[in-house]
Amino acid sequence: VGGKAAGDIFQDNAVLSNPVAGLVIGVLVTVLVQSSSTSSSIVVSMVSSGLLEVQSAVPVIMGANIGTSVTNTIVAMMQAGDRNEFRRAFAGATVHDFFNWLSVLILLPLEAATGVLYKLTKIVIDSFNIQGGDNAPDLLNVITDPLTSAIIELDKTVISDIATGDPAARNKSLIKIWCKTEKITTLLNITVPSAANCTIGVPCWVEGNKTWTQINVTETINLERCNHIFAYANLPDLAVGLILLALSLLILCTCLILIVKLLNSMLKGQVAVVIKKVLNTDFPFPFGWVTGYIAILVGAGMTFIVQSSSVFTSAITPLVGIGVISLERAYPLTLGSNIGTTTTAILAAMAAPGETLANSLQIALCHFFFNIAGILLWYPIPFTRIPIRLARALGNRTAN
């Protein structure tokens, strides 16, 4: 539903040069496409095509970070039936938002004034001797792709083409109809007004009072149709998008309600006590501080496996609601998932063509360092864990 709009929003480069506008655009696009990795990969492709300067792209990446925390807030709404559960779930969901907003409040002005992330990543990139790589590895996608591609297949290049200003992309559908295509280039004879208009390096001749030359024409031949449900339904993008949105929200809500019910029934009595103890215990003194950092690593690892921070943080939200995971433990897991999601962008950047690889990798690293800087600001010293206090206060206020 939001794909083409997302491409449109990215088009106005004059707006993107303002850091605050860039930030808001990052938030908007990520909320539209519900995936920070999609919006950050669009940014990476715009940087690699030379449309966006790395410096203008940094605020957009920060915005994408904020946009991704909308999903788990929606998930928390599913527990609104029980006030105390909702109080905890909402706090568990919004701790991510507070972390992102607080990090942006400090790092965006700092970046605008000093360009610290840009300079730091430039040093890192210059110290690498970079060669092109392959596409990011598919981990969870191997299981989910057969199902999603039976329902719908999308052509994400259309969003990037709109963003990069290709006029032909406007009339293209985001839905893939042809899965196998072949490009054939042929030489065509055409007439031109004068010899000065001839294509350089190809024959040019005069017949009667006409000047002829040859040009290369590339034609795309469609070989094989896709097999998904919408391949033969001649519906506009918006209609297909709304049908899928309604269905997916229905399935999401059903699954979430069932998960909460299932967890509630399983975690009654003794089992709950044991699980709570195991998940929320700290290492024995003097190593208690290590626990949080291990939770950060677990969050990063799990997010890397599911390739989406919103999926991972949405999975822990109901657990916080039921009280299995404390807010203090959910916080480092969420921070870890923020790092995990940047690895996707770094791997995607590795697949960029050789000449644009450095820029693509630099913007992906900006995302990584932004999250690391946020963690250094809001985690190591217990007093600075402000997002936990803010989220708890908001959870109480909302529940009331």
Side-chain angles (χ1 to χ4, degrees):
V1 172
K4 285 192 173 164
D8 269 342
I9 291 173
F10 271 136
Q11 250 193 318
D12 195 353
N13 288 347
V15 174
L16 285 174
S17 60
N18 174 339
V20 179
L23 175 81
V24 175
I25 285 173
V27 177
L28 262 177
V29 172
T30 307
V31 172
L32 275 175
V33 291
Q34 278 294 297
S35 153
S36 60
S37 44
T38 304
S39 55
S40 52
S41 63
I42 297 172
V43 175
V44 168
S45 67
M46 286 177 75
V47 169
S48 69
S49 64
L51 270 173
L52 252 188
E53 293 290 309
V54 176
Q55 273 171 302
S56 322
V58 176
V60 187
I61 291 282
M62 291 182 181
N65 233 16
I66 295 172
T68 189
S69 51
V70 171
T71 322
N72 51 0
T73 315
I74 299 170
V75 170
M77 298 295 175
M78 289 297 111
Q79 279 166 283
D82 177 317
R83 180 168 301 183
N84 284 327
E85 259 184 42
F86 179 65
R87 187 189 306 273
R88 291 189 293 261
F90 201 73
T94 51
V95 76
H96 195 184
D97 303 63
F98 279 121
F99 168 74
N100 283 332
W101 277 114
L102 286 170
S103 302
V104 165
L105 277 176
I106 287 187
L107 293 169
L108 184 66
L110 190 69
E111 175 65 27
T114 63
V116 56
L117 283 173
Y118 174 75
K119 287 171 184 157
L120 180 65
T121 47
K122 188 99 183 100
I123 294 166
V124 175
I125 296 292
D126 291 344
S127 68
F128 286 166
N129 188 5
I130 302 175
Q131 262 89 40
D134 296 321
N135 273 322
D138 284 343
L139 298 165
L140 192 76
N141 294 5
V142 176
I143 308 164
T144 55
D145 273 358
L147 177 65
T148 36
S149 54
I151 298 170
I152 189 140
E153 283 189 59
L154 291 184
D155 192 351
K156 287 206 181 139
T157 53
V158 175
I159 303 182
S160 297
D161 288 349
I162 292 176
T164 49
D166 177 2
R170 298 210 154 281
N171 307 324
K172 282 189 194 160
S173 168
L174 269 174
I175 301 155
K176 257 194 198 165
I177 306 278
W178 299 95
C179 281
K180 253 199 196 153
T181 55
E182 195 182 334
K183 286 198 165 141
I184 292 179
T185 306
T186 46
L187 270 176
L188 266 191
N189 293 345
I190 58 154
T191 59
V192 287
S194 69
N197 302 71
C198 286
T199 316
I200 298 162
V202 293
C204 190
W205 66 97
V206 179
E207 271 182 27
N209 55 357
K210 285 184 181 169
T211 309
W212 290 80
T213 185
Q214 291 182 319
I215 55 162
N216 281 331
V217 175
T218 307
E219 259 188 306
T220 306
I221 295 174
N222 298 326
L223 299 176
E224 193 182 312
R225 254 183 189 269
C226 298
N227 295 326
H228 58 83
I229 301 172
F230 294 101
Y232 294 95
N234 285 324
L235 291 170
D237 280 9
L238 187 65
V240 174
L242 291 172
I243 292 168
L244 287 174
L245 181 67
L247 283 176
S248 54
L249 280 175
L250 185 73
I251 295 170
L252 176 72
C253 295
T254 315
C255 291
L256 286 169
I257 292 167
L258 290 174
I259 286 174
V260 173
K261 288 259 187 296
L262 180 76
L263 288 171
N264 267 332
S265 58
M266 279 170 56
L267 301 176
K268 288 250 167 70
Q270 287 304 306
V271 189
V273 177
V274 174
I275 290 181
K276 274 186 198 169
K277 268 220 174 96
V278 171
L279 282 176
N280 297 314
T281 39
D282 289 336
F283 280 113
F285 183 83
F287 301 110
W289 58 272
V290 180
T291 327
Y293 295 97
I294 287 178
I296 291 179
L297 292 176
V298 169
M302 291 299 291
T303 306
F304 179 70
I305 290 169
V306 296
Q307 293 274 304
S308 157
S309 61
S310 21
V311 168
F312 177 71
T313 51
S314 302
I316 47 179
T317 302
L319 293 170
V320 179
I322 303 166
V324 176
I325 299 180
S326 66
L327 187 57
E328 281 71 16
R329 184 52 36 92
Y331 180 55
L333 286 169
T334 305
L335 300 191
S337 102
N338 255 1
I339 294 180
T341 194
T342 59
T343 53
T344 321
I346 291 172
L347 291 167
M350 294 281 191
E355 64 279 4
T356 60
L357 182 67
N359 282 349
S360 311
L361 198 52
Q362 188 178 353
I363 190 66
L365 279 176
C366 282
H367 193 186
F368 180 69
F369 282 126
F370 168 70
N371 281 321
I372 295 283
I375 290 174
L376 292 175
L377 279 172
W378 308 117
Y379 191 75
I381 308 161
F383 171 72
T384 58
R385 295 175 194 173
I386 303 169
I388 297 182
R389 298 201 285 281
L390 289 174
R392 185 164 277 137
L394 184 65
N396 291 337
R397 176 59 54 90
T398 317
N400 295 340

